Amino acid sequence: MRKEMMKIREITSIALCLAMLCVSSYVSIPLPFMTTPITAQTIMINTIALWLTPAQAMTTMGAYLILGLIGFPVFAGGSSGISVFLRPTGGFLIAFFISVGVISGLKKRFPQKLGSNIFLTVGIGMPIVYFVGAFWMSILMEIDFVVAFQLSVYPFIVGDLLKCLIACRLVERLNGTMKQRSVFIKRKLV
Amino acid sequence: MMKKLWLGRYIDGSSVYHAFDPRSKLVMMVLNLLMIICTVNWEQLLCVTLFTFSLLCLSKIPFSFYLRQAMFLKYMYFFFLMFFTLTEGTTFLLKIGIFRVSLDGLWIGAFYVTKMMLFVILGALLTFTTSPGEIVAGVRTLFKSPSIERFAFMAGLSIRLIPMILEEVKLIYNAQQSRGLDFSELRLQDKFKKLLSIIIPAISNTVKRLMMMIEAMECRGYVVGEQRTSIYRLQFRMRDVCLLVYGILVLAIVILL
């Protein structure tokens, strides 16, 4: 019974993060000095990577991608379907899946504090997303990788840095709040 | 606003396409995607377009809804059109510096843009005529396995959680506003701090409600992955057979062209 209860809590925590990921795709914050608004999707993706275990994080991202594939309007701007992946920017969704797995897997080797979280998201997560996304774009549009990298990465570096910092701060506050209120998802069963 | 974005995707109606079994609509969407992927010439594209519009007529939803959905990607369409016009083809209409405008490239760009629009419209057809609960029920019954059962439970729970989260965010936002929070007057750094003061209570309260829901489900005897009956019964009828046969026939025609 204990094992089954843990399973239920694990699945419900994944469902919660999945719901928050879907909601975050609709949230955008326009900034005065940028032409493209900051979307909360990347914030939530990094939060999920830092907050859940590797299996849970990758399950959440996988479920998110599957939901979008079968037609739920969960991707940025309410888009859905396989056409999202056939776009030049579709590779970034796959890159997020890889990035979540790597960040979530590596965070065990680092102490759980703000500095190491920032290093994981900015130093490891962002390069993975950029390279995989640019690689996908270069293949799909049959252009040079360097050109694709310039098109898809340079305008977004500042915004993504801000999003990673927000995600690290959010996880830090979330861990504190959850411990304080004794509603942490992975708490021990009595 | 955000609630309308999500809940308004399903357009209630009593059309023929609404009444189809969700599993048939899912299989039909896969067939349509196969058609579009196999399309390589204009005859095939015309056939797929006519087929798509016949399905749209069955749904009795105004075309403006689909066009509005397709126009989400208007910048992408323009980008593709310009890209192919300037880089493909051999018969150049005119040369402007390093750019070469060609008629062949324009046709190729129009071809790809039409395919992309068909992709989006067919995705919208499924979500306009099928409620999220029906889609999850269809996925669950199409593939009967424990992992799909867990995924269906996760997806169904997630769909029900989304309105809960939006409600919670709205509640806390109003509470913060009543305490003097004004987003328009804050500096950028303060704006982010105040944003966290809305997100973290919303997540924490949602987790608490989720824990209570879990306890209630366990009290009612729920075990993950175990075989269960369902209160929602999907019925596969003769009209579903007709729809699938129609789709398979058109797919065969498209491949043979």
Side-chain angles (χ1 to χ4, degrees):
Chain A
M1 191 58 190
R2 171 185 299 239
K3 186 177 180 181
E4 292 300 331
M5 288 179 71
M6 289 309 296
K7 271 187 173 181
I8 293 178
R9 286 166 191 271
E10 190 172 292
I11 288 188
T12 47
S13 66
I14 291 171
L16 173 67
C17 292
L18 180 57
M20 293 193 304
L21 190 48
C22 297
V23 170
S24 66
S25 300
Y26 287 91
V27 178
S28 67
I29 308 163
L31 296 176
F33 54 85
M34 289 175 67
T35 55
T36 58
I38 281 188
T39 61
Q41 188 184 45
T42 310
I43 297 174
M44 196 50 62
I45 285 169
N46 284 313
T47 303
I48 287 167
L50 293 170
W51 196 23
L52 299 181
T53 64
Q56 289 171 356
M58 296 197 77
T59 304
T60 305
M61 281 304 302
Y64 178 68
L65 297 180
I66 291 173
L67 277 183
L69 268 175
I70 65 178
F72 285 90
V74 295
F75 294 143
S79 53
S80 67
I82 200 172
S83 62
V84 176
F85 292 95
L86 299 182
R87 256 182 252 176
T89 53
F92 286 98
L93 290 167
I94 299 171
F96 285 141
F97 181 76
I98 300 171
S99 166
V100 159
V102 174
I103 292 175
S104 196
L106 282 180
K107 73 171 189 275
K108 292 176 178 176
R109 310 185 181 188
F110 292 89
Q112 290 294 312
K113 57 183 183 181
L114 191 62
S116 56
N117 284 349
I118 291 177
F119 168 73
L120 282 170
T121 51
V122 173
I124 295 178
M126 275 175 61
I128 290 174
V129 171
Y130 287 155
F131 277 104
V132 176
F135 183 68
W136 182 277
M137 179 181 277
S138 67
I139 287 183
L140 213 61
M141 296 176 57
E142 297 175 1
I143 59 178
D144 193 14
F145 177 79
V146 177
V147 177
F149 198 84
Q150 289 168 3
L151 281 175
S152 62
V153 170
Y154 286 170
F156 300 98
I157 290 181
V158 175
D160 283 342
L161 276 173
L162 288 173
K163 284 183 258 185
C164 289
L165 296 180
I166 293 171
C168 297
R169 187 68 180 156
L170 181 61
V171 171
E172 192 186 25
R173 292 275 298 272
L174 273 174
N175 286 330
T177 304
M178 295 303 178
K179 287 176 183 173
Q180 179 180 346
R181 298 197 186 188
S182 302
V183 292
F184 197 53
I185 294 179
K186 296 180 241 177
R187 67 177 177 179
K188 293 294 183 182
L189 293 174
V190 296
Chain B
M1 174 61 184
M2 289 194 303
K3 178 172 290 188
K4 182 184 176 183
L5 273 177
W6 174 263
L7 298 180
R9 280 295 296 258
Y10 171 66
I11 300 174
D12 200 10
S14 57
S15 73
V16 177
Y17 209 80
H18 278 84
F20 283 132
D21 192 293
R23 294 168 292 183
S24 306
K25 285 184 264 193
L26 283 167
V27 174
M28 181 57 64
M29 188 182 72
V30 174
L31 288 177
N32 292 337
L33 295 182
L34 284 179
M35 284 180 211
I36 301 175
I37 290 173
C38 294
T39 299
V40 292
N41 55 50
W42 283 100
E43 292 89 350
Q44 288 175 327
L45 189 60
L46 180 63
C47 190
V48 176
T49 305
L50 290 179
F51 173 72
T52 303
F53 275 93
S54 68
L55 295 183
L56 300 194
C57 292
L58 277 183
S59 67
K60 290 185 181 175
I61 293 173
F63 285 158
S64 56
F65 283 57
Y66 294 104
L67 283 183
R68 190 165 58 196
Q69 187 70 28
M71 282 301 118
F72 269 153
L73 300 179
K74 55 182 181 292
Y75 300 116
M76 183 67 62
Y77 301 149
F78 181 76
F79 182 80
F80 260 76
L81 206 62
M82 289 298 106
F83 181 80
F84 281 109
T85 302
L86 299 179
T87 60
E88 294 282 340
T90 53
T91 309
F92 302 118
L93 298 178
L94 57 93
K95 294 188 176 182
I96 309 174
I98 61 173
F99 297 111
R100 304 167 298 173
V101 180
S102 64
L103 193 59
D104 319 42
L106 190 63
W107 278 117
I108 295 174
F111 186 83
Y112 278 105
V113 167
T114 308
K115 287 177 74 171
M116 288 174 67
M117 289 186 73
L118 287 177
F119 269 133
V120 177
I121 287 173
L122 287 165
L125 176 65
L126 177 70
T127 51
F128 282 173
T129 58
T130 318
S131 68
E134 283 176 339
I135 295 181
V136 174
V139 170
R140 178 192 279 115
T141 51
L142 263 182
F143 317 96
K144 290 177 180 286
S145 72
S147 54
I148 295 298
E149 179 73 26
R150 272 192 289 267
F151 169 77
F153 169 75
M154 189 192 307
L157 186 57
S158 177
I159 290 166
R160 285 165 182 82
L161 278 172
I162 288 170
M164 191 188 298
I165 291 176
L166 291 173
E167 175 195 334
E168 201 69 40
V169 169
K170 184 181 176 184
L171 194 70
I172 293 174
Y173 182 76
N174 290 337
Q176 296 281 5
Q177 258 193 336
S178 68
R179 292 182 177 89
L181 174 67
D182 191 352
F183 264 100
S184 56
E185 295 180 359
L186 294 174
R187 291 183 293 111
L188 197 63
Q189 189 179 3
D190 293 334
K191 189 175 289 188
F192 284 137
K193 288 181 180 177
K194 293 305 176 184
L195 196 67
L196 287 185
S197 74
I198 293 177
I199 292 174
I200 291 175
I203 295 177
S204 175
N205 287 348
T206 308
V207 169
K208 281 168 61 182
R209 292 168 72 167
L210 195 62
M211 290 297 116
M212 286 192 286
M213 192 166 63
I214 292 171
E215 301 289 344
M217 289 174 64
E218 288 167 0
C219 290
R220 287 168 161 259
Y222 179 78
V223 177
V224 178
E226 198 162 285
Q227 285 294 323
R228 297 183 294 118
T229 57
S230 176
I231 192 175
Y232 305 106
R233 312 291 287 177
L234 301 178
Q235 294 179 354
F236 197 80
R237 299 189 188 88
M238 184 52 63
R239 56 189 170 191
D240 296 294
V241 176
C242 296
L243 178 71
L244 293 179
V245 169
Y246 180 41
I248 292 173
L249 278 180
V250 177
L251 176 62
I253 291 173
V254 166
I255 291 178
L256 290 177
L257 279 176

